[in-house]
Structures are given as C-alpha cells and as structure tokens.
Coordinates of all heavy atoms in Angstrom, one line a residue:
E168 N -105.1 79.1 152.1 CA -104.4 78.9 153.4 C -103.4 80.1 153.5 O -102.5 80.3 152.7 CB -103.7 77.6 153.4 CG -103.2 77.2 154.8 CD -102.7 75.8 154.7 OE1 -103.3 74.9 154.1 OE2 -101.6 75.6 155.3
E169 N -103.5 80.7 154.7 CA -102.6 81.9 155.0 C -101.3 81.4 155.6 O -101.3 80.6 156.5 CB -103.3 82.8 155.9 CG -102.6 84.1 156.2 CD -103.4 85.0 157.1 OE1 -104.6 85.0 157.0 OE2 -102.8 85.7 157.9
E170 N -100.2 81.9 155.1 CA -98.9 81.6 155.7 C -98.7 82.4 156.9 O -99.0 83.6 157.0 CB -97.8 81.9 154.7 CG -97.7 81.0 153.5 CD -96.5 81.3 152.6 OE1 -95.4 81.6 153.2 OE2 -96.6 81.1 151.4
K171 N -98.1 81.7 157.9 CA -97.8 82.4 159.2 C -96.3 82.9 159.1 O -95.5 82.1 158.8 CB -98.0 81.5 160.3 CG -99.5 81.2 160.5 CD -99.7 80.3 161.8 CE -101.2 80.0 161.9 NZ -101.5 79.2 163.0
V172 N -96.1 84.1 159.6 CA -94.7 84.6 159.7 C -94.3 84.4 161.1 O -94.9 84.7 162.1 CB -94.7 86.1 159.4 CG1 -93.3 86.7 159.6 CG2 -95.2 86.4 158.0
I173 N -93.0 83.8 161.2 CA -92.5 83.5 162.5 C -91.4 84.6 162.8 O -90.5 84.8 162.0 CB -91.8 82.2 162.6 CG1 -92.9 81.1 162.4 CG2 -91.0 82.0 163.9 CD1 -92.3 79.7 162.3
V174 N -91.6 85.4 163.8 CA -90.6 86.4 164.2 C -89.6 85.8 165.1 O -89.9 85.2 166.1 CB -91.3 87.6 164.9 CG1 -90.2 88.6 165.3 CG2 -92.4 88.2 164.1
L175 N -88.3 85.8 164.6 CA -87.3 85.1 165.3 C -86.8 86.0 166.5 O -86.6 87.2 166.3 CB -86.1 84.8 164.4 CG -86.4 83.8 163.3 CD1 -85.1 83.6 162.4 CD2 -86.9 82.5 163.8
R176 N -86.6 85.4 167.6 CA -86.1 86.2 168.8 C -84.6 86.1 168.8 O -84.0 85.1 168.5 CB -86.6 85.5 170.0 CG -88.1 85.6 170.1 CD -88.8 84.7 171.1 NE -88.2 84.7 172.4 CZ -87.9 83.7 173.2 NH1 -88.1 82.5 172.7 NH2 -87.4 83.8 174.3
D177 N -84.0 87.2 169.3 CA -82.5 87.2 169.5 C -82.2 86.9 171.0 O -82.2 87.9 171.8 CB -82.0 88.6 169.0 CG -80.5 88.7 169.0 OD1 -79.8 87.6 169.0 OD2 -80.0 89.8 169.0
I178 N -81.9 85.7 171.3 CA -81.6 85.3 172.6 C -80.3 84.5 172.6 O -79.9 84.0 171.6 CB -82.7 84.5 173.3 CG1 -83.0 83.2 172.6 CG2 -84.0 85.4 173.5 CD1 -84.0 82.3 173.3
S179 N -79.6 84.4 173.8 CA -78.4 83.7 173.8 C -78.6 82.1 173.6 O -79.7 81.6 173.7 CB -77.8 83.8 175.2 OG -78.5 83.1 176.2
R180 N -77.6 81.5 173.2 CA -77.6 80.0 173.0 C -78.1 79.3 174.2 O -78.9 78.4 174.1 CB -76.2 79.5 172.5 CG -75.8 79.8 171.1 CD -74.4 79.2 170.9 NE -74.4 77.8 171.1 CZ -74.7 76.8 170.2 NH1 -75.2 77.2 169.1 NH2 -74.6 75.6 170.5
E181 N -77.5 79.7 175.4 CA -77.9 79.0 176.6 C -79.3 79.2 177.0 O -80.0 78.3 177.4 CB -77.0 79.5 177.8 CG -75.6 78.8 177.8 CD -75.8 77.3 177.7 OE1 -76.5 76.6 178.6 OE2 -75.2 76.7 176.9
Q182 N -79.9 80.5 176.8 CA -81.3 80.7 177.1 C -82.1 79.9 176.1 O -83.1 79.3 176.5 CB -81.6 82.2 176.9 CG -83.1 82.5 177.2 CD -83.4 83.9 177.1 OE1 -82.6 84.8 177.1 NE2 -84.8 84.2 177.1
A183 N -81.7 79.8 174.9 CA -82.5 79.0 173.9 C -82.5 77.5 174.3 O -83.5 76.8 174.2 CB -81.9 79.2 172.5
K184 N -81.3 77.0 174.7 CA -81.2 75.7 175.1 C -82.0 75.3 176.3 O -82.7 74.3 176.4 CB -79.7 75.4 175.4 CG -79.3 73.9 175.4 CD -77.8 73.8 175.4 CE -77.3 72.4 175.5 NZ -75.9 72.3 175.5
D185 N -82.0 76.3 177.3 CA -82.9 76.1 178.5 C -84.4 76.1 178.1 O -85.1 75.2 178.7 CB -82.6 77.2 179.5 CG -81.3 77.1 180.2 OD1 -80.7 76.0 180.1 OD2 -80.8 78.1 180.8
E186 N -84.8 76.9 177.2 CA -86.2 77.0 176.7 C -86.6 75.7 176.0 O -87.7 75.2 176.2 CB -86.5 78.2 175.9 CG -86.4 79.5 176.7 CD -86.7 80.7 176.0 OE1 -87.3 80.6 174.8 OE2 -86.5 81.8 176.4
I187 N -85.6 75.1 175.2 CA -85.9 73.9 174.5 C -86.0 72.8 175.6 O -87.0 71.9 175.5 CB -84.8 73.6 173.5 CG1 -84.9 74.6 172.4 CG2 -84.9 72.1 173.0 CD1 -83.7 74.5 171.4
R188 N -85.2 72.8 176.6 CA -85.3 71.8 177.7 C -86.6 71.8 178.3 O -87.3 70.8 178.6 CB -84.2 72.0 178.8 CG -82.9 71.5 178.5 CD -82.0 71.7 179.7 NE -80.6 71.4 179.4 CZ -79.7 72.3 179.3 NH1 -80.0 73.6 179.3 NH2 -78.4 72.0 179.0
V189 N -87.1 73.0 178.6 CA -88.5 73.2 179.2 C -89.6 72.6 178.4 O -90.4 71.8 178.9 CB -88.7 74.7 179.6 CG1 -90.2 74.9 180.0 CG2 -87.8 75.2 180.6
L190 N -89.5 72.8 177.1 CA -90.5 72.2 176.2 C -90.5 70.7 176.3 O -91.6 70.0 176.3 CB -90.2 72.6 174.7 CG -90.7 73.9 174.3 CD1 -90.4 74.1 172.7 CD2 -92.2 74.2 174.5
F191 N -89.3 70.1 176.3 CA -89.2 68.6 176.4 C -89.6 68.0 177.7 O -90.0 66.9 177.8 CB -87.8 68.2 176.0 CG -87.6 68.2 174.5 CD1 -86.6 69.0 174.0 CD2 -88.3 67.3 173.6 CE1 -86.4 69.1 172.6 CE2 -88.1 67.4 172.3 CZ -87.1 68.2 171.8
K192 N -89.6 68.8 178.8 CA -90.0 68.3 180.1 C -91.5 67.9 180.1 O -91.9 67.1 180.9 CB -89.7 69.4 181.2 CG -88.2 69.4 181.5 CD -88.0 70.3 182.7 CE -86.5 70.2 182.9 NZ -85.9 71.2 183.7
A193 N -92.3 68.4 179.2 CA -93.7 68.0 179.1 C -93.8 66.6 178.6 O -94.9 65.9 178.7 CB -94.4 69.0 178.1
G194 N -92.7 66.0 178.1 CA -92.7 64.6 177.7 C -93.2 64.3 176.3 O -93.4 63.2 175.9
E195 N -93.6 65.4 175.5 CA -94.2 65.1 174.2 C -93.0 65.0 173.2 O -91.9 65.5 173.4 CB -95.2 66.2 173.8 CG -94.6 67.5 173.7 CD -95.6 68.6 173.4 OE1 -96.3 68.5 172.4 OE2 -95.7 69.6 174.1
T196 N -93.3 64.4 172.0 CA -92.4 64.3 170.9 C -92.6 65.6 170.1 O -93.8 66.0 169.8 CB -92.7 63.1 170.0 OG1 -92.4 62.0 170.8 CG2 -91.8 63.1 168.8
L197 N -91.5 66.3 169.8 CA -91.7 67.6 169.1 C -90.9 67.6 167.8 O -89.8 67.0 167.7 CB -91.1 68.7 169.9 CG -91.8 69.0 171.2 CD1 -90.9 69.8 172.1 CD2 -93.1 69.7 171.0
Y198 N -91.4 68.1 166.7 CA -90.7 68.3 165.5 C -89.9 69.6 165.6 O -90.3 70.5 166.4 CB -91.7 68.4 164.3 CG -92.3 67.1 163.9 CD1 -93.6 66.8 164.5 CD2 -91.7 66.2 163.2 CE1 -94.2 65.6 164.2 CE2 -92.2 65.0 162.8 CZ -93.5 64.6 163.4 OH -94.0 63.5 163.1
Y199 N -88.8 69.7 164.9 CA -88.1 70.9 164.9 C -89.0 72.1 164.6 O -88.8 73.2 165.2 CB -86.9 70.9 163.9 CG -85.9 69.8 164.2 CD1 -85.4 68.9 163.2 CD2 -85.3 69.7 165.4 CE1 -84.5 68.0 163.4 CE2 -84.4 68.8 165.7 CZ -83.9 67.9 164.7 OH -83.0 67.0 165.0
S200 N -89.9 72.0 163.7 CA -90.8 73.1 163.3 C -91.6 73.5 164.5 O -92.0 74.7 164.6 CB -91.7 72.7 162.1 OG -92.4 71.5 162.4
D201 N -92.0 72.6 165.4 CA -92.8 72.9 166.5 C -92.0 73.8 167.5 O -92.5 74.8 168.0 CB -93.2 71.6 167.4 CG -94.1 70.7 166.6 OD1 -94.9 71.1 165.8 OD2 -94.0 69.4 166.9
I202 N -90.7 73.5 167.6 CA -89.9 74.2 168.5 C -89.6 75.6 167.9 O -89.7 76.6 168.6 CB -88.5 73.5 168.7 CG1 -88.8 72.2 169.4 CG2 -87.6 74.3 169.6 CD1 -87.6 71.2 169.4
V203 N -89.3 75.7 166.6 CA -89.2 77.0 165.9 C -90.4 77.9 166.1 O -90.3 79.0 166.5 CB -88.9 76.7 164.4 CG1 -89.0 78.1 163.7 CG2 -87.5 76.1 164.2
R204 N -91.6 77.3 165.9 CA -92.8 78.0 166.0 C -93.1 78.5 167.5 O -93.5 79.6 167.7 CB -94.0 77.2 165.5 CG -95.2 78.0 165.2 CD -96.3 77.1 164.4 NE -96.4 75.7 164.9 CZ -96.0 74.7 164.2 NH1 -95.3 74.8 163.1 NH2 -96.2 73.5 164.7
R205 N -92.9 77.6 168.4 CA -93.3 77.9 169.8 C -92.3 78.9 170.4 O -92.7 79.8 171.2 CB -93.3 76.7 170.7 CG -94.5 75.8 170.3 CD -94.5 74.6 171.2 NE -95.4 73.6 170.8 CZ -95.6 72.4 171.4 NH1 -95.1 72.2 172.6 NH2 -96.5 71.5 170.9
L206 N -91.0 78.8 170.1 CA -90.0 79.6 170.7 C -89.5 80.8 169.9 O -88.8 81.6 170.4 CB -88.8 78.7 171.2 CG -89.1 77.6 172.2 CD1 -87.9 76.9 172.6 CD2 -89.8 78.2 173.4
G207 N -89.8 80.8 168.6 CA -89.3 81.8 167.7 C -87.8 81.8 167.5 O -87.2 82.9 167.5
L208 N -87.3 80.6 167.3 CA -85.9 80.4 167.1 C -85.6 80.0 165.7 O -86.4 79.4 165.1 CB -85.4 79.4 168.1 CG -85.5 79.6 169.6 CD1 -85.1 78.5 170.4 CD2 -84.8 80.9 170.0
D209 N -84.4 80.3 165.2 CA -83.9 79.9 163.9 C -83.8 78.4 163.8 O -83.3 77.8 164.8 CB -82.6 80.5 163.6 CG -82.0 80.2 162.3 OD1 -82.6 80.7 161.3 OD2 -81.1 79.3 162.2
V210 N -84.2 77.8 162.7 CA -84.3 76.4 162.6 C -82.9 75.7 162.8 O -82.7 74.6 163.4 CB -85.1 75.9 161.3 CG1 -84.3 76.2 160.1 CG2 -85.3 74.4 161.5
S211 N -81.9 76.3 162.2 CA -80.6 75.8 162.3 C -80.0 75.8 163.7 O -79.4 74.8 164.1 CB -79.6 76.5 161.4 OG -79.5 77.9 161.7
L212 N -80.4 76.8 164.5 CA -80.0 76.8 165.9 C -80.7 75.7 166.7 O -80.2 75.0 167.5 CB -80.3 78.2 166.5 CG -80.0 78.3 168.0 CD1 -78.5 78.1 168.3 CD2 -80.5 79.7 168.5
V213 N -82.1 75.6 166.4 CA -82.8 74.5 167.0 C -82.2 73.1 166.8 O -82.0 72.3 167.7 CB -84.3 74.5 166.6 CG1 -85.1 73.3 167.0 CG2 -85.0 75.8 167.1
V214 N -81.9 72.8 165.5 CA -81.3 71.5 165.2 C -80.0 71.4 165.9 O -79.7 70.3 166.5 CB -81.1 71.4 163.7 CG1 -80.3 70.1 163.3 CG2 -82.5 71.4 162.9
E215 N -79.2 72.4 165.9 CA -77.9 72.3 166.6 C -78.0 72.1 168.1 O -77.3 71.2 168.7 CB -77.2 73.7 166.3 CG -75.7 73.7 166.6 CD -75.1 75.0 166.2 OE1 -75.3 75.5 165.1 OE2 -74.5 75.7 167.1
L216 N -78.9 72.8 168.7 CA -79.1 72.6 170.2 C -79.7 71.3 170.5 O -79.4 70.7 171.5 CB -80.0 73.8 170.7 CG -79.3 75.1 170.7 CD1 -80.2 76.3 171.2 CD2 -78.0 75.2 171.5
C217 N -80.6 70.8 169.7 CA -81.2 69.5 169.9 C -80.1 68.4 169.8 O -80.1 67.4 170.6 CB -82.4 69.2 168.9 SG -83.9 70.1 169.4
D218 N -79.2 68.6 168.8 CA -78.1 67.7 168.7 C -77.2 67.6 170.0 O -76.8 66.6 170.5 CB -77.2 68.0 167.5 CG -77.9 67.6 166.2 OD1 -78.9 66.8 166.2 OD2 -77.5 68.1 165.1
E219 N -77.0 68.9 170.5 CA -76.2 69.0 171.7 C -76.9 68.2 172.9 O -76.3 67.6 173.7 CB -76.0 70.4 172.1 CG -74.9 71.1 171.2 CD -74.7 72.6 171.6 OE1 -75.1 72.9 172.8 OE2 -74.2 73.4 170.8
L220 N -78.2 68.5 173.0 CA -79.0 67.9 174.1 C -79.0 66.4 173.9 O -79.0 65.7 174.9 CB -80.5 68.4 174.1 CG -80.6 69.9 174.5 CD1 -82.0 70.4 174.3 CD2 -80.3 70.0 176.0
E221 N -79.0 65.9 172.7 CA -79.0 64.5 172.5 C -77.6 63.9 172.9 O -77.5 62.9 173.6 CB -79.2 64.1 171.0 CG -79.1 62.6 170.8 CD -79.3 62.1 169.3 OE1 -78.7 62.8 168.4 OE2 -80.0 61.2 169.1
S222 N -76.5 64.6 172.6 CA -75.2 64.1 172.9 C -75.0 64.2 174.5 O -74.2 63.4 175.0 CB -74.1 64.9 172.2 OG -74.1 66.2 172.7
E223 N -75.7 65.0 175.2 CA -75.7 65.1 176.6 C -76.7 64.2 177.3 O -76.8 64.1 178.5 CB -76.0 66.6 177.0 CG -75.0 67.6 176.6 CD -75.5 69.0 176.7 OE1 -76.6 69.3 177.2 OE2 -74.7 69.9 176.2
G224 N -77.4 63.4 176.4 CA -78.3 62.3 177.0 C -79.7 62.9 177.4 O -80.4 62.2 178.1
E225 N -80.0 64.1 177.1 CA -81.3 64.7 177.5 C -82.5 64.5 176.6 O -83.6 64.4 177.1 CB -81.1 66.2 177.7 CG -80.1 66.6 178.9 CD -80.1 68.0 179.2 OE1 -81.2 68.6 179.4 OE2 -79.0 68.6 179.3
V226 N -82.2 64.3 175.3 CA -83.3 64.1 174.4 C -82.9 63.0 173.4 O -81.7 62.7 173.3 CB -83.7 65.3 173.6 CG1 -84.2 66.4 174.5 CG2 -82.6 65.8 172.7
E227 N -83.8 62.4 172.8 CA -83.6 61.4 171.7 C -84.1 61.9 170.4 O -85.2 62.3 170.3 CB -84.3 60.1 172.1 CG -84.1 59.0 171.1 CD -84.8 57.7 171.5 OE1 -85.5 57.7 172.5 OE2 -84.7 56.7 170.8
I228 N -83.2 61.9 169.4 CA -83.6 62.4 168.0 C -84.2 61.3 167.3 O -83.6 60.2 167.2 CB -82.4 63.0 167.3 CG1 -81.7 64.1 168.1 CG2 -82.8 63.5 165.9 CD1 -82.5 65.3 168.3
L229 N -85.3 61.5 166.7 CA -86.0 60.5 165.9 C -86.3 61.0 164.5 O -87.4 61.6 164.3 CB -87.4 60.1 166.6 CG -87.4 59.8 168.0 CD1 -88.7 59.9 168.7 CD2 -86.8 58.4 168.3
G230 N -85.4 60.9 163.6 CA -85.5 61.5 162.3 C -85.6 63.0 162.4 O -84.6 63.7 162.7
D231 N -86.7 63.6 162.1 CA -86.8 65.1 162.2 C -87.6 65.5 163.3 O -88.1 66.7 163.4 CB -87.4 65.6 160.9 CG -88.8 65.1 160.6 OD1 -89.3 64.2 161.3 OD2 -89.5 65.6 159.7
S232 N -87.7 64.7 164.3 CA -88.4 65.0 165.6 C -87.5 64.5 166.8 O -86.5 63.8 166.5 CB -89.8 64.4 165.7 OG -89.7 63.0 165.8
A233 N -87.9 64.9 167.9 CA -87.1 64.6 169.1 C -88.1 64.4 170.3 O -89.1 65.0 170.3 CB -86.0 65.6 169.5
K234 N -87.6 63.7 171.3 CA -88.4 63.5 172.5 C -87.4 63.4 173.7 O -86.3 63.1 173.6 CB -89.3 62.3 172.5 CG -88.5 61.0 172.6 CD -89.5 59.8 172.6 CE -88.7 58.5 172.8 NZ -89.5 57.3 172.9
S235 N -88.0 63.7 174.9 CA -87.2 63.7 176.1 C -86.8 62.3 176.4 O -87.6 61.3 176.1 CB -88.1 64.2 177.2 OG -87.4 64.2 178.4
R236 N -85.7 62.1 177.0 CA -85.2 60.7 177.5 C -85.8 60.4 178.8 O -85.9 61.2 179.7 CB -83.7 60.6 177.5 CG -83.1 60.6 176.1 CD -81.7 60.0 176.3 NE -81.0 60.1 175.0 CZ -80.9 59.0 174.2 NH1 -81.4 57.9 174.5 NH2 -80.3 59.2 173.1

C-alpha cells in the first residue's frame, strides 16, 4: 500500500475556517483526517478550528469526527 503525501497549504486562519465551514455545509460527518486531506491543512489547525466552530454552535464534535449542526 502506497503512502500518500499531503502538501500543506499556507493560508490564513480565517480562510481555513471558511473552507472548513463549506465542507460541513454538505451535511456529512467528517473525520479530522478527511478535512486535512481535502483541504491540505495541518491537523492541529483543523482540530483547533473545529473546536472554535463547535463553540460557535456551527458544528458538533463526535470523538474524532465532526458534523454540521
């Protein structure tokens, strides 16, 4: 099995947060790894921004995954 390399993008926190919001608008449950892979973001940033979105009432964290509210 071949390992995939994820190239991380250097974008602002706000742009990253907006892109994560867009992913959740589809209504699916996403693992942090899904968000990292789809958006090319650092996993610690993804976790931090999902926590912020949860505190703002936009997503619900379910263990290591999250879904739109």
